[in-house]
Amino acid sequence: MFKTNNVASRIFERQIRTPAPGTSVHSARRFYENLVPSFTIYDVECPDHSFFKFTDDGQYFVCFSRNRQDLIVYRPTWLSFSCKGEDCDNNQELPPQAKRFESFFTQLYVKPLASCNELICKDFFLYMESNQYGIFATSTAQIQDARGTDGAILGVPSFEKITIHIFRLEDGFKLDEKVFHNDCVNLTHNMGAFLYDDLLAVVSLRYQTIHILQIRDSGNLVDVRAIGAYCREDDELFLNSSSQLAGNRGDLVDNGTNHDQPNSNNSFLSGIKQRLLSFIFREIWSEETDQTQRVQCLKKKFYFHFQDYVDLVILKVQFLDRHHLLIKFGSVDVGASRNTDQLPAFFAVYNMETTEIVAFYQNAADELYLLFERFCDHFHATSINSMYMNFISSHSNNIHALEQLKSMKNKATSVSQFVKKMLSSLPLNCQSMSPSPYFDQSLFRFDEKLISATDRPRQSTDHPIRFISRRQPNILKFKIKTGPEFGGADGRSKKYSHFLFHPAWPLALSFIQPSLFLPPSAVNIHFRR
Amino acid sequence: MHPNLSDILGAGQKPSFHSSPMGSMLGNLPSFDPHNFSQLRPSDPSNPSKMVPSTYRPTHSRTLPPPDQVRATEAKNILIGNIYQRAEEKLRSKRAATEHLIPEHGCKQTRPSTS
C-alpha cells in the first residue's frame, strides 16, 4: 500500500489514502517495519522473579515468585528519563536510571496464590481478555502410591489437590476457584485446559472427564457440563434408575451390590466411550453393501480391536467452536512416555449439544491433515473479540509460512511420518503463540529454529538473530543479540535463551539460562530507542 | 450521438425515477431499483448501524436467486462446515449400504463447492 519506506511519508500517505477493503490491519502493521526494537540494554538488574508472560493485550506482565507461591503483576510502561546538558538528543548512552527494569515495568501488586503445601504451576496461564481475568493453577505434590478409587483409571499419577484460580488482573482480586481432588490435570504449557470466549475446558485425566466451566462476568466459575462417563445432564439419573432395575432382579443372588459407578459394574459402556464406539461401528458398517462382507469387515476392523478401542483414554481437548470439541484419544502410556509419535492416537470431533461424534480420525489421517493445512487458523479457535488472533501467521493465512510447510513436506522422507508429526501438535495449546507483529511472516523473515511465536527456551547461539524484511529482500531490519558475540568466559558451554515479546510495542525481553532448570543468568531488554 | 440510458443498461432494465423508500436526508434522489434497500437487516446484532440487504438483488438476469431466498451468515465456521460436509458426503456415497437411515443434522443447505 505504501509507496515509500520512510515513516514520515508513510504517515502522510495514510492521511490521504484508504487501504484496500479488509486490509486496514495489514497496512497498519506495516508501520512495524519502521519501528523496530533495535536497541538493547544488556544484563538489566531485575528482581529475582520467574518472569512468565505478557498478556495478549499487552496490559500486564505476569510473574511468579521464585518460591512459586506468589503472583506478581507488572504494568508495562515505556521508559522516560530526563537529561541535563546541552546535547541530550545525540547522546548515545542512556542515563543509568533509565536502564533499570523498573523504568519499563511498574509493579502493580504481589498476591499470595499458593498455600503452604502447594506450588504454582509456572507454565500455566490463560487470559480472558474481555474482562481482564487471569486463570492460574496451583497443585500439591504428586501422591506417590495412588490407590485406585472409584472411577479413576490406573497408570495416571494423582495429585491431592489441583486448584484453578481466577484473578482480576487489574487489582489482583481473587474471584473464584475450582478444586480437583485426587486428580491429574496436565498443566504444563496449558495442555490440560482450553479457553474459548468464556468457556473453559479442563481435562481430568484420572477420572477421564472433560469439565466444561463457564466464567461469568462476575468472575464466578460455573459448571456447565462434565463429559466422560455421562454425556447429557440427566444421563446419570437414567443410568442409575436402569441399573437399579437390573440390581433389583439380581438382588436375590448378590446382596445389593453398589451401583453408583455404572462403568465398573454394568455390562455396558456409557458416556463418550459409547458414542465413540458406536460411531466407529456405524462407519465400518456402512462401508460394505454385502451382508457377509460387512460382517467380515466388522470382525477385522472392529471386534479384533475392540478392547483397544475400549481402553482408549482422553488425553487432550480443544474447542473448535462453542459446541464442538476436538478430542485426542490415546493409550494411557502416552502420559509417561516421551516418544508420542510411535503410539497410536485418534482424534474425534464431538458436538456437545447433540452429544454426537461427528468425525473420527487416526493420527496419520490425510483428511485431517488437509483440514489442518487449509484451516489452521480455525484450530486456533478464538472468539471474535480478540481481533489480533486472526493475524498470527500460520500456514493457512500466510503464503511464506505455507511455502515453508510445503518445502518441509517435500523434504520429508515419509509422507505419513510428516503427517503424523504435524498432527501431533493437535489439539493445539491455548494461547501458546505470541501475537507480536514482529513474528508476522509477511513483514519479517527470521530463523524459526532460533526464535518463533511460540515462546519456549531454545539453545542460544552466539550470533545475533536477524529479522530481515520480506518486502525489501535482504534488507536487515533489526537484530536481537542476547549477549557478547564471542560467548563469554565459559567458552563452549551450552546456553538456553528464551524471548518474550510485547504483543504491540517494539519491546522484547530475552533471558539467558545456563540450563533449563536454573533461573536466568542474564536478562536483556530490547526496545526502540 | 448520445447513447440512450436504456441502451447502456441493457434491454429489460429501465432506470427508475421513483422516489427511494429510503427517504434519506439528501432528499428523494432517483434510484436504479427502489427495491434494493427496502429490506435491510443489521449484519451483526451488536452493531445495528451496519445494515446489509437481507435479499440478494442481482443486477443481471443470467442467474436469478429463488424468490424466497434470505441471506444469512452461516453459524458454523468454515472448518466445522467442512467436517460436516465430508461426513455427509461419506454418508451419501454409502447410503445404499446402510440399512438404517441416520437422521440428518439440521437442515440441508445448498453450498458452493469448496474443493
Side-chain angles (χ1 to χ4, degrees), chain A residues 65-79:
Chain A
S65 61
R66 211 35 93 188
N67 61 2
R68 287 165 65 185
Q69 298 265 304
D70 298 325
L71 167 69
I72 304 141
V73 172
Y74 289 89
R75 169 86 64 189
T77 58
W78 202 257
L79 84 164

Side-chain angles (χ1 to χ4, degrees), chain A residues 154-174:
Chain A
L154 300 167
V156 175
S158 173
F159 296 81
E160 191 189 329
K161 186 177 173 201
I162 296 178
T163 318
I164 308 275
H165 306 260
I166 296 197
F167 272 72
R168 187 167 58 208
L169 286 185
E170 200 180 358
D171 52 6
F173 182 72
K174 177 161 170 179

Side-chain angles (χ1 to χ4, degrees), chain A residues 286 294 324 351 356 374 378, chain B residues 78 82 84 94 97 105 114:
Chain A
S286 57
R294 196 184 275 171
H324 294 87
N351 184 330
E356 283 178 13
R374 285 175 64 194
H378 294 274
Chain B
I78 194 171
N82 247 280
Y84 273 97
K94 293 164 189 162
H105 299 286
T114 51

Side-chain angles (χ1 to χ4, degrees), chain A residues 282-283 285-289 291 294 320-321 324 349 351 354 356 358-361 367 370-371 374-375 378-379, chain B residues 44 75-80 82-84 86-87 90-91 93-100 102-103 105 114-115:
Chain A
R282 281 175 19 231
E283 251 200 339
W285 178 266
S286 57
E287 270 173 15
E288 296 287 335
T289 48
Q291 185 64 20
R294 196 184 275 171
L320 292 176
D321 73 358
H324 294 87
V349 177
N351 184 330
T354 61
E356 283 178 13
V358 178
F360 182 72
Y361 307 102
E367 199 179 313
L370 281 173
L371 287 173
R374 285 175 64 194
F375 306 116
H378 294 274
F379 282 95
Chain B
D44 181 11
K76 293 186 229 163
N77 70 37
I78 194 171
L79 171 66
I80 307 280
N82 247 280
I83 293 175
Y84 273 97
R86 279 164 202 247
K90 268 194 226 169
L91 193 67
S93 63
K94 293 164 189 162
R95 180 151 300 175
T98 56
E99 285 175 1
H100 317 281
I102 296 165
H105 299 286
T114 51
S115 55

